[in-house]
Amino acid sequence: MNILVCVKQVPDMESKFKINAAGTWYDITDLAWRMNEYDEYAVEQAVRLKEQLGDADLTVISIGPAKVTETIKKALAMGCDRGVHIVDEAVAGREPYEIASAIAAFAAGKEFAVIFTGMQSQDRGSAQVGVLLGEMLSLPSVTTIVDFAYADGTAVVKRELEGGIKARIKVAVPALFTCQLGLNTVRYPTLPNIMKAKKKELLAVPMAELLSVEPRQETVKISFPEKKGSGLILEGDPAELADKLIRILKDKTGVLA
Amino acid sequence: MIFALSEEQRLIREMVRDFAEMEIAPSAALRDEEERFDRELMFDKLAELGLTGIVFPEEYGGAGADYLSYAIAVEELSRVCASTGVTLSAHLSLGANPIYLFGTEEQKQAFLKPLARGEKMGAFGLTEPAAGSDAGSTRTTAVRDGGDWLVNGTKIFITNGGEAEIYIILARTDKEARKHHGISAFIVEKGTPGFSFGKKEKKMGIRSSPTMELVFENCRIPATNLLGEEGEGFKIAMKTLDGGRIGIAAQALGIAQGALDTAVSYARERKQFDTPIASFQGIQFQLADMATQIEASRLLVYNASYRASAGLSYSQASAMAKLMASETAMKVTTQAVQILGGYGYTREFPVERMMRDAKITEIYEGTSEIQRLVIGASLTR
Ligand SMILES: Cc1cc2nc3c(=O)[nH]c(=O)nc-3n(C[C@H](O)[C@H](O)[C@H](O)COP(=O)(O)OP(=O)(O)OC[C@H]3O[C@@H](n4cnc5c(N)ncnc54)[C@H](O)[C@@H]3O)c2cc1C
């Protein structure tokens, strides 16, 4: 069975973000980068499926500039068999439709029976690449899965619905799954496997060879939320303070009806 | 000259940092308080990650990575728990490395392999009550008895003592020879009759790392466990410490970085005089000095690691790295306590532990004075 997992390199979320000069995205200089958290669940699940099947072939794919090979190598160190790097210096400005199209162009005809992606990226958060890719490849997509089991051509997965309800979904492969927090505990890539990752196949494909669509949406402006006013400081003796506090809670919040 | 880590080195840093923060950090304060070593956490898990044999070739159970990867691993572990950092450093640099450098093929198969895989833990016994900085005054003796050696004497302050399965021991084999020339190195296994453990030290810092006395009473060691040539022990010990100092320098670097990180985030949160204390120039100047000293130390540590992997001489470089990084760790942790004020002095925050942990890096594997002797001697030779 051929398995595909799609990963994105995103800034470490503890970075100090600045907005770029054009005002359309964050400034990418001086950031530390790592694998999108949801994609780590996807890689982990893909590796588990491969380990379960034994004879599966697991490809990891990522789009971006030269530095994304580090993220691909992490996936290889976690257990993927081969890497595909779609080389694209302009990835930060791409919209989900372009990204999904490029991956679909690569995946077409390669008979991937199971495709895993993260539920969304931690930076753009559109949650569209997975489902768009499914559509483009004419595959059923099951989103935000928190449990995955596979046997005899059928996957049984759990999805989290609103209000804590869980749904169990059965789907015949080929199919695509987008992975949510809670799906699994991600393994650490061991040091020997990090060293061995550099010996695994890593194919580089220029974005231009795969991209044949025009963007259909554009991010016009991004901004930080406006600074909220500083907190309210009440003064007076305790009884007075309690009265003031109750009045505020009644008037301005729903805490006290 | 390229000042950039390789992809592998960056992935190793990310992996060890994630592991250290998720698994090692949560219990660091409690283990310190209880003076408790947790083998499962502080050694077996490192073995699973392939950290116990980082620098050794795959054929000996290692990962085939370089010294810089090793330094990064010790640095990241020590950033949250210096006791875990030294456990790895003493095991790898002091316990396993002399076997890799000086062992026969049989010794490597029998002892290095299980050490590198982390199935067994290593330790190194050089120091004695009367032989500290002056390691040549070793009084422990090894006397030939048939085909074996009979060892008698006491080693003190041995990191991983009691826990380790394999010990490298220095003993005098020739009473007539000049001081340094009559010493030999031996591989001694835990459980060998006549080899027992004395008292466990109660320490100021690295309290989660066991430090023990080793006692040898007519301990019979087979001739095949002689490491290197007879009389070569002092040279083996000095070479071993050259490598070990990279580990301790990395430990000191990690402690200092951990203290700086805590101080910076505290200073940004803590408000006095209606403003975060980080906005005071007096605080910023302190943080600037701390960060600059740490960065200088890091370059020395990484340079010594680079030289070790490149096959260049690194005795002077590792002494410089250890001297600079350990004295930086002491200064930076003391300053971090100052920046956290009264809170820094309490055990609610990790900086007082880091300050206690930092002190040992100026003492073991050669005191700062001994590092200056090593550097000075190599300059004026
Ligand atoms: C927690 C801990 C763990 C340790 N782990 C190990 C271990 O795993 N294996 C091992 O073999 N040892 C270990 N040691 C021992 C350690 O390496 C020694 O304590 C250290 O080398 C110093 O020796 P000493 O304590 O005898 O001090 P001394 O040598 O007595 O030194 C006392 C003071 O005199 C100074 N001094 C000595 N000689 C000179 C000189 N020529 N010029 C100027 N100043 C000088 C020293 O710098 C120091 O300030 C450990 C020690 C501790 C505390």
Side-chain angles (χ1 to χ4, degrees):
Chain A
M1 180 196 276
N2 293 338
I3 310 169
L4 178 68
V5 60
C6 308
V7 301
K8 178 178 183 181
Q9 189 179 55
V10 296
D12 189 321
M13 288 300 136
E14 279 167 31
S15 307
K16 283 175 207 140
F17 288 99
K18 282 183 296 192
I19 290 172
N20 70 7
T24 53
W25 197 234
Y26 51 80
D27 188 342
I28 58 169
T29 47
D30 289 334
L31 290 174
W33 300 83
R34 56 181 301 155
M35 192 188 294
N36 180 41
E37 180 188 334
Y38 302 100
D39 301 348
E40 292 196 335
Y41 307 134
V43 172
E44 176 65 34
Q45 203 59 48
V47 173
R48 287 185 191 190
L49 178 58
K50 174 190 147 67
E51 287 168 348
Q52 178 196 333
L53 297 171
D55 66 344
D57 189 275
L58 172 51
T59 302
V60 54
I61 192 167
S62 188
I63 305 180
K67 66 182 172 53
V68 306
T69 55
E70 184 178 326
T71 293
I72 297 175
K73 281 191 186 155
K74 180 172 184 178
L76 293 173
M78 286 170 72
C80 295
D81 296 306
R82 62 195 74 248
V84 176
H85 174 203
I86 302 182
V87 186
D88 184 16
E89 290 298 327
V91 70
R94 301 268 182 219
E95 64 126 325
Y97 180 66
E98 294 175 277
I99 300 290
S101 300
I103 300 173
F106 172 81
K110 297 204 171 56
E111 294 184 351
F112 290 111
V114 178
I115 301 179
F116 292 102
T117 73
M119 162 192 95
Q120 62 181 26
S121 60
Q122 286 173 289
D123 57 352
R124 197 174 285 277
S126 74
Q128 289 190 52
V129 170
V131 282
L132 283 171
L133 177 60
E135 278 307 299
M136 290 169 185
L137 296 173
S138 301
L139 299 178
S141 301
V142 188
T143 57
T144 57
I145 64 166
V146 292
D147 191 51
F148 179 92
Y150 174 85
D152 305 327
T154 304
V156 179
V157 305
K158 270 198 197 126
R159 299 187 60 232
E160 228 161 51
L161 310 183
E162 290 299 314
I165 302 173
K166 288 204 174 98
R168 214 148 62 102
I169 313 272
K170 254 169 90 171
V171 58
V173 305
L176 181 145
F177 304 89
T178 79
C179 302
Q180 164 70 307
L181 168 78
L183 174 61
N184 51 40
T185 306
V186 179
R187 73 191 64 195
Y188 299 102
T190 68
L191 200 140
N193 287 342
I194 290 174
M195 299 306 292
K196 282 179 201 139
K198 67 176 161 197
K199 293 181 199 138
K200 291 190 178 175
E201 179 189 312
L202 208 176
L203 181 72
V205 185
M207 183 66 160
E209 269 180 31
L210 298 171
L211 188 68
S212 58
V213 300
E214 292 296 317
R216 301 197 288 198
Q217 51 173 279
E218 183 191 347
T219 302
V220 184
K221 181 176 185 294
I222 69 165
S223 56
F224 285 109
E226 277 182 27
K227 273 225 168 98
K228 294 223 183 80
S230 54
L232 194 62
I233 297 168
L234 304 178
E235 282 171 47
D237 67 49
E240 212 181 313
L241 281 176
D243 286 341
K244 280 187 190 167
L245 183 61
I246 287 172
R247 215 176 311 128
I248 293 170
L249 289 176
K250 273 191 174 157
D251 295 350
K252 307 223 162 138
T253 77
V255 177
L256 296 176
Chain B
M1 198 175 221
I2 302 167
F3 288 98
L5 299 182
S6 70
E7 275 179 341
E8 287 74 31
Q9 288 157 347
R10 282 207 300 273
L11 284 173
I12 289 166
R13 181 189 295 286
E14 180 182 302
M15 178 270 280
V16 181
R17 178 173 294 189
D18 286 350
F19 167 74
E21 284 177 355
M22 294 292 294
E23 325 244 342
I24 300 287
S27 60
L30 192 64
R31 282 184 281 104
D32 169 70
E33 183 94 32
E34 296 175 348
E35 300 186 58
R36 183 167 51 82
F37 178 71
D38 180 344
R39 172 137 183 176
E40 219 261 317
L41 177 70
M42 296 162 71
F43 189 74
D44 296 349
K45 286 210 172 167
L46 303 189
E48 282 171 33
L49 296 174
L51 298 179
T52 46
I54 303 181
V55 297
F56 306 118
E58 286 172 45
E59 63 198 282
Y60 299 124
D66 58 6
Y67 266 85
L68 186 44
S69 302
Y70 166 58
I72 288 169
V74 174
E75 177 188 350
E76 289 300 332
L77 293 171
S78 304
R79 202 170 71 94
V80 304
C81 175
S83 293
T84 307
V86 75
T87 300
L88 177 60
S89 182
H91 159 80
L92 192 150
S93 284
L94 303 186
N97 201 36
I99 304 176
Y100 175 59
L101 293 178
F102 299 98
T104 61
E105 186 56 31
E106 289 73 34
Q107 288 171 337
K108 288 180 190 173
Q109 292 298 335
F111 303 111
L112 179 58
K113 233 181 193 174
L115 285 169
R117 289 183 180 149
E119 294 156 3
K120 292 186 176 169
M121 188 193 284
F124 178 75
L126 173 65
T127 306
E128 298 182 4
S133 300
D134 182 12
S137 316
T138 296
R139 290 191 187 163
T140 295
T141 56
V143 178
R144 264 191 199 283
D145 185 64
D148 303 331
W149 295 90
L150 274 187
V151 177
N152 280 285
T154 301
K155 297 287 175 183
I156 57 164
F157 296 155
I158 307 308
T159 301
N160 293 351
E163 285 291 336
E165 282 81 18
I166 295 172
Y167 296 78
I168 305 300
I169 296 301
L170 284 299
R172 184 163 297 286
T173 44
D174 184 349
K175 288 193 181 118
E176 308 303 319
R178 271 194 307 125
K179 217 175 155 184
H180 296 165
H181 298 282
I183 297 173
S184 303
F186 297 90
I187 304 167
V188 186
E189 290 184 86
K190 183 179 180 174
T192 307
F195 172 25
S196 61
F197 301 104
K199 80 166 169 137
K200 181 181 170 196
E201 298 298 337
K202 294 194 166 126
K203 306 194 295 294
M204 170 188 192
I206 57 163
R207 286 157 51 110
S208 169
S209 155
T211 313
M212 277 235 190
E213 191 176 11
L214 315 180
V215 182
F216 300 92
E217 292 161 309
N218 286 323
C219 176
R220 184 175 290 277
I221 298 169
T224 48
N225 282 22
L226 174 71
L227 183 64
E229 299 293 321
E230 193 178 331
E232 222 188 13
F234 190 78
K235 188 187 98 187
I236 292 176
M238 292 305 114
K239 277 267 170 228
T240 299
L241 290 174
D242 283 345
R245 282 166 190 156
I246 293 178
I248 300 309
Q251 182 201 23
L253 177 61
I255 297 170
Q257 186 67 52
L260 175 66
D261 293 346
T262 309
V264 168
S265 68
Y266 185 87
R268 290 159 61 101
E269 295 294 323
R270 172 68 174 172
K271 281 192 178 155
Q272 286 293 281
F273 304 98
D274 297 328
T275 160
I277 61 169
S279 67
F280 302 138
Q281 198 178 50
I283 297 284
Q284 284 185 15
F285 276 16
Q286 290 185 54
L287 293 171
D289 285 345
M290 291 157 77
T292 305
Q293 287 159 11
I294 290 172
E295 199 52 33
S297 304
R298 181 169 287 117
L299 292 175
L300 287 182
V301 176
Y302 290 6
N303 177 54
S305 311
Y306 156 74
R307 294 188 66 88
S309 288
L312 303 167
S313 68
Y314 61 97
S315 175
Q316 181 183 325
S318 68
M320 285 178 169
K322 193 215 172 230
L323 175 61
M324 175 78 179
S326 61
E327 297 198 338
T328 294
M330 200 60 234
K331 272 188 267 180
V332 164
T333 53
T334 308
Q335 226 159 357
V337 171
Q338 191 67 20
I339 289 172
L340 271 74
Y343 297 93
Y345 196 69
T346 71
R347 293 190 199 168
E348 288 295 303
F349 286 87
V351 286
E352 64 80 30
R353 167 167 55 89
M354 291 166 170
M355 182 173 162
R356 289 184 284 107
D357 288 348
K359 186 63 206 174
I360 189 59
T361 65
E362 294 182 321
I363 296 172
Y364 57 18
E365 301 205 19
T367 62
S368 291
E369 292 71 32
I370 296 302
Q371 305 309 323
R372 289 185 169 89
L373 281 183
V374 170
I375 300 162
S378 99
L379 288 173
T380 56
R381 193 167 41 206

